Amino acid sequence: GAPRPRARLDARRAGAAARPARPALAGAGALPQLPRWRAAQPAGAAAGGRRHEPVIFDLLAALALGYFIGSFPSARVIARLWKKDIFEVGSGNMGAMNTARNVGWAAGVLVLVLDIAKGALAAGAAPVLADMAGLPDEARVHMALAAGVGAVLGHAWSAYAGLRGGKALATTLGVSLPVYPLVGIYWALLLVALALITRRGALSAVIATVLYPVVALLALQRAQVEQELAFAVVTAVILISVIVLIKHLPRRGGARAG
């Protein structure tokens, strides 16, 4: 008869261990609906695919993908249709504004659309690599961010134009659209507002770019985005801002802004 109390205690402990643990606070570990493409993704990773965090090779692959997409020299190609060399007119900048001023407004608008589109394409295509590697949803966001940085880098120093390029403002907006659209839209509105106030495009671009990480942080906090994911987005925005600011440094020869 002596072992009975001990047996009951062991049974209680076993029952407690068998009960499922209480979940954490609701939504604490949930991935925010940041990437628009997330809902359309197949559940390949969850259905038997390998799941792991992205390693340096995965991120470098996304960076390279973004770089070669972003390197497409939109302004150079469009200017050639008008029988002009974009590097020989105006500021020599491979961007929409220089194209509009010195080739034509129709050409400039077309370049603007293409530069935005290639940024969006780079960030939107990176999740395909994540699916191929069997990465989870969180990793898809990191891959898209790496590809976005690569796209801006590619536009600034194009592999197809002798490492020449543009100032990457349009491409910067483009990479935000599939991943953190509100952040990009707020930044674009700030850029336009500053341009209207100061009437100086280059100065407005520098100020808006310096403030871009702050805009990103405030927008993500307001949207209550998970802290780890917000940190990744702000880090990518800082890297993109550094690239854009470098391209806005004064050049030798005194070429005017554009």
Side-chain angles (χ1 to χ4, degrees), residues 41-52 130-137 140:
Q41 289 295 328
R50 64 186 179 93
R51 295 173 58 89
H52 60 80
D131 286 338
M132 293 172 62
L135 297 171
D137 287 349
R140 292 192 182 104

Side-chain angles (χ1 to χ4, degrees), residues 186-226:
Y186 290 154
W187 173 73
L189 291 175
L190 174 63
L191 177 60
V192 172
L194 288 171
L196 292 175
I197 293 171
T198 65
R199 301 291 180 178
R200 297 179 63 184
L203 177 62
S204 302
V206 169
I207 296 174
T209 303
V210 168
L211 295 176
Y212 194 16
V214 179
V215 172
L217 181 61
L218 294 177
L220 295 172
Q221 286 182 340
R222 182 176 182 181
Q224 297 182 340
V225 172
E226 187 179 80

